[in-house]
Amino acid sequence: MCIRDSINAEYGKRSSEMISCISFLNHKGDVIIGRSYRDNVSTRLADEFKNKILLSKGECLPIQLLENASFVFIRHQKMYLVAITRSNCNAFLVLKFLTSIVEVFESFFGTLDEDSLRNNFVVIFELLDEMMDYGYPQYTDPQMLKMLITQESVRSEALARDVTVAATGVVSWRKQGIKHRKNQLYIDVHEEVNMLTSAKGQILRHDVSGKVLLNSKLSGMPECKFGLNDKIMLDKQATRAATRKGGSNSSIVLDDCTFDKCVRLGRFDSDRSISFVPPDGEFELMRYRVTEKVELPFKITPSIHTHGRTRIEITVTVKANFKADQEANKVQVTIPVPKTTSKCKFNKIAGKSKYDAEQNAVIWRIANFQGQQSESLTIFVDMAATVGDKVWARPPISMNFVVPMFTASQLKVMFLKVTDKSGYNTEKWVRYVTSAGTYQCRY
């Protein structure tokens, strides 16, 4: 039995889920390069795709049906990446694979255009063969593929061994033999807090979207483990640990957690600890959302008084809710004013303020905002007289800021351990940063 027959026998029942062909087309619809993985698609379909879809004047959707074949494609610069299949494939998986091809090719060639394709035919065919096996997506990690793809006729035994471990082992994202003069691990917790309050100060919506970024400079094959003040984890620990900082206030509820592929999900499900063998360098370990016990860094209190038809007085008070020894940077408050505004005057304030006619708003900037302090701005708005009395819609006041060493979700890294068989010491650093997402107040 030949190799193709054995593959057909093994995947016969699953053949309906395979991609048959990947093609690169220029802006005219001509094929630059293509790779067929199955023989159930003819080259004539590419011409039909060009004539009936790309050159048509109608709306060009990314998923098309033509002659019992499905065409899934994306556009990159002046080219089209097209996947063809005879079956009912998962369209979103195919779209994700096509975007992964773009990322990998840009990692190899710097840019992906028609010239880079024509100048790298050999490498491209090697990449397409490694990234997809008989119609099934395989490797899409650029670092992994850079270990697999080589133009040398003879590879060293060390490289071959590293490739084998990466391709078949559980840590394909980290190669063997990494060494650093200093072993360091940096953790950055970045959060964006979203808020919407009414004119009376009632909170209508608030949540936090966060991500944990790591920069690993560790030698060997280390095992890392750290825990958060997650409510489920603290409930499973001893009562003393759960009440160390005042009972339930020390714990938070994490929603919608997503992790990098290096995290052992089984360990997280069992004891809520995050265990992993980190890739070398910078990477995103996890994302999360928090919707309960959100600690808002700023409170916005607006008031508005009308003086006749051509003048209004707006006062905005901003109070910092975080600790007095902390400081917010790059604070900006955008206060909308009527479109008929002709002039704005300000009282003596902290920071700088100006009227921006293009945005129909007053921009109030404060370089540094100390915790537990409050600042106020009063705006005297002169408006041009109009014939009609059109009601001003009053868009919400919005705010931007960055608060170092503060988390609106109250998330904290409880412990961080790094173990390696060589037993080296590790320098560990944890940093927290909270910035504004959609932070608004109606008035």
Side-chain angles (χ1 to χ4, degrees):
M1 179 182 293
C2 66
I3 295 178
R4 178 171 294 275
D5 290 337
S6 63
I7 295 177
N8 283 332
E10 180 179 358
Y11 295 118
K13 295 183 179 179
R14 299 166 55 193
S15 61
S16 61
E17 302 176 2
M18 293 181 181
I19 296 174
S20 300
C21 178
I22 299 288
S23 297
F24 293 80
L25 282 63
N26 61 17
H27 66 284
K28 296 180 180 180
D30 300 325
V31 177
I32 304 172
I33 188 173
R35 177 67 171 90
S36 295
Y37 298 96
R38 295 180 61 81
D39 55 6
N40 59 351
V41 173
S42 65
T43 57
R44 183 180 57 84
L45 281 178
D47 295 331
E48 295 293 332
F49 177 75
K50 167 187 173 181
N51 297 329
K52 293 186 178 180
I53 298 178
L54 295 186
L55 299 182
S56 64
K57 296 183 180 180
E59 185 178 6
C60 191
L61 299 177
I63 303 172
Q64 299 283 347
L65 297 177
L66 182 64
E67 295 190 7
N68 296 324
S70 299
F71 292 80
V72 182
F73 65 96
I74 62 174
R75 183 170 183 175
H76 180 75
Q77 295 185 4
K78 296 182 180 180
M79 298 187 305
Y80 295 91
L81 279 71
V82 185
I84 309 174
T85 179
R86 288 286 187 184
S87 61
N88 186 20
C89 284
N90 186 330
F92 287 101
L93 184 147
V94 179
L95 288 171
K96 174 61 178 175
F97 182 72
L98 293 177
T99 58
S100 297
I101 290 179
V102 174
E103 294 173 359
V104 169
F105 282 20
E106 288 182 339
S107 176
F108 270 79
F109 312 133
T111 182
L112 179 58
D113 53 25
E114 190 170 346
D115 292 335
S116 64
L117 289 179
R118 296 186 185 280
N119 294 333
N120 297 279
F121 271 0
V122 176
V123 179
I124 288 172
F125 275 111
E126 289 189 27
L127 284 171
L128 292 176
D129 286 340
E130 294 293 347
M131 296 181 69
M132 178 164 285
D133 182 19
Y134 202 55
Y136 293 108
Q138 299 293 321
Y139 303 115
T140 58
D141 185 2
Q143 299 303 321
M144 174 67 188
L145 290 167
K146 286 179 181 179
M147 296 175 61
L148 294 171
I149 302 300
T150 175
Q151 292 297 313
E152 298 177 357
S153 58
V154 179
R155 288 194 269 180
S156 65
E157 293 183 2
L159 178 60
R161 182 172 62 253
D162 291 345
V163 170
T164 302
V165 172
T168 61
V170 295
V171 287
S172 61
W173 52 89
R174 185 180 180 90
K175 63 182 180 180
Q176 298 280 345
I178 296 176
K179 292 183 180 180
H180 292 278
R181 293 183 61 185
K182 287 186 177 181
N183 294 287
Q184 300 171 321
L185 184 63
Y186 299 88
I187 297 181
D188 288 331
V189 179
H190 289 192
E191 291 191 345
E192 286 191 355
V193 55
N194 305 303
M195 181 203 71
L196 178 62
T197 59
S198 66
K200 297 182 179 180
Q202 180 183 2
I203 298 176
L204 305 177
R205 176 179 62 85
H206 67 285
D207 63 85
V208 176
S209 299
K211 57 185 177 181
V212 179
L213 306 175
L214 265 70
N215 187 359
S216 172
K217 299 181 179 179
L218 302 174
S219 304
M221 196 68 67
E223 178 78 20
C224 300
K225 180 178 181 180
F226 78 92
L228 306 172
N229 57 332
D230 182 15
K231 186 177 187 303
I232 297 178
M233 183 188 75
L234 294 181
D235 287 347
K236 290 185 178 181
Q237 294 178 346
T239 304
R240 183 182 62 181
T243 59
R244 187 180 303 165
K245 295 185 179 180
S248 60
N249 290 331
S250 64
S251 63
I252 64 172
V253 179
L254 295 177
D255 302 322
D256 304 330
C257 292
T258 58
F259 295 96
D260 184 76
K261 60 184 176 183
C262 66
V263 176
R264 295 185 174 90
L265 298 180
R267 189 78 59 84
F268 180 78
D269 291 337
S270 62
D271 60 8
R272 307 295 284 189
S273 65
I274 302 173
S275 301
F276 57 96
V277 176
D280 192 48
E282 299 180 0
F283 68 100
E284 182 179 298
L285 182 70
M286 65 176 292
R287 287 178 178 262
Y288 62 90
R289 287 183 69 250
V290 173
T291 56
E292 300 179 7
K293 297 182 180 179
V294 176
E295 187 174 314
L296 298 174
F298 289 97
K299 180 180 179 181
I300 307 172
T301 306
S303 65
I304 183 169
H305 301 282
T306 303
H307 302 284
R309 296 180 56 187
T310 60
R311 192 175 186 188
I312 59 174
E313 178 183 336
I314 303 173
T315 301
V316 177
T317 301
V318 179
K319 184 180 186 303
N321 296 326
F322 44 89
K323 296 180 181 178
D325 58 351
Q326 293 178 313
E327 188 179 67
N329 303 322
K330 302 178 181 179
V331 178
Q332 175 178 304
V333 184
T334 303
I335 307 165
V337 294
K339 293 182 179 181
T340 57
T341 298
S342 60
K343 183 173 61 174
C344 290
K345 294 182 180 180
F346 314 103
N347 63 351
K348 188 178 181 180
I349 59 166
K352 298 179 180 180
S353 60
K354 69 174 183 178
Y355 167 59
D356 190 331
E358 293 184 359
Q359 298 187 45
N360 294 312
V362 171
I363 310 299
W364 180 21
R365 293 186 176 92
I366 303 176
N368 301 302
F369 203 120
Q370 202 68 32
Q372 296 300 311
Q373 289 188 357
S374 62
E375 301 289 349
S376 296
L377 171 64
T378 301
I379 310 169
F380 301 97
V381 181
D382 292 332
M383 298 177 292
T386 57
V387 176
D389 293 331
K390 188 175 182 180
V391 179
W392 177 36
R394 292 190 188 181
I397 298 170
S398 60
M399 191 172 180
N400 290 318
F401 51 81
V402 176
V403 187
M405 300 310 296
F406 172 83
T407 53
S409 67
Q410 305 183 53
L411 179 139
K412 301 295 179 185
V413 177
M414 304 294 289
F415 64 88
L416 174 59
K417 300 177 181 178
V418 178
T419 57
D420 185 79
K421 61 182 180 181
S422 62
Y424 55 71
N425 294 324
T426 306
E427 296 180 6
K428 310 163 192 173
W429 306 87
V430 181
R431 180 172 59 181
Y432 305 95
V433 177
T434 294
S435 59
T438 304
Y439 207 85
Q440 296 179 333
C441 174
R442 294 175 179 172
Y443 76 111

